[in-house]
Amino acid sequence: MIGIQKLIQKWDIDYIYIDSAAQQTRFDFAQNYDITTINAKKSVLDGIGHVAGVVDNDKLIVHQACRESISSLDQYQWDPNPNLLKEKPKHNYASHMADAIRYALYSFETSVTTF
C-alpha cells in the first residue's frame, strides 16, 4: 500500500482535492491506486477571502506539529508589483501549501453536498 493510501485509512479521509491543472496526477491516482480525487475550486480571490474569514473567526486549527503549514499561512503575501491589473498572491515557498489549504477549505465549504 502506498503512503497516501495509509494516510487515507489512518485519518479516515473522505475527500482529496486536486489542482485542476494536475489532470495527469488525477488520472494516475485513479488508474494506478484506485484513489478518487475532486477538482478543487481555484477562484483565487474568493478562496483567499473565504480562508481569511475562517481564520478571522478562529475556525482554523492547525496542529503545532504542522510547522510547514503554519509557516506557509504566516508567510502568504500579496504580490507587491504595482503593474498588476488585479491583486494576486506572491508566488514563493509559502504559496504551494497555502494554496492547498485554500483549495481544500474553499472547495469543501462551497460544494453542495447532501447525504
Side-chain angles (χ1 to χ4, degrees), residues 23-104:
Q23 292 305 294
Q24 184 62 53
T25 302
R26 184 175 193 204
F27 177 80
D28 292 344
F29 275 22
Q31 284 294 114
N32 299 332
Y33 308 109
D34 197 29
I35 295 173
T36 302
T37 59
I38 302 167
N39 282 332
K41 292 181 181 179
K42 291 178 62 171
S43 178
V44 177
L45 297 179
D46 291 339
I48 290 172
H50 180 78
V51 173
V54 170
V55 171
D56 289 345
N57 289 303
D58 295 325
K59 299 293 184 186
L60 181 64
I61 299 169
V62 180
H63 192 280
Q64 65 185 3
C66 300
R67 293 181 182 175
E68 291 299 320
S69 296
I70 293 168
S71 176
S72 293
L73 290 168
D74 182 56
Q75 296 301 313
Y76 202 63
Q77 303 169 4
W78 292 106
D79 191 325
N81 183 346
N83 298 320
L84 295 174
L85 296 176
K86 67 178 185 176
E87 285 186 307
K88 71 175 195 170
K90 187 176 183 180
H91 187 79
N92 60 20
Y93 81 93
S95 61
H96 295 292
M97 179 64 75
D99 286 345
I101 292 167
R102 172 175 53 90
Y103 290 167

Side-chain angles (χ1 to χ4, degrees), residues 2-13:
I2 65 167
I4 194 165
Q5 289 171 321
K6 288 180 182 178
L7 293 173
I8 290 168
Q9 289 181 347
K10 178 180 179 180
W11 297 105
D12 194 23
I13 295 172

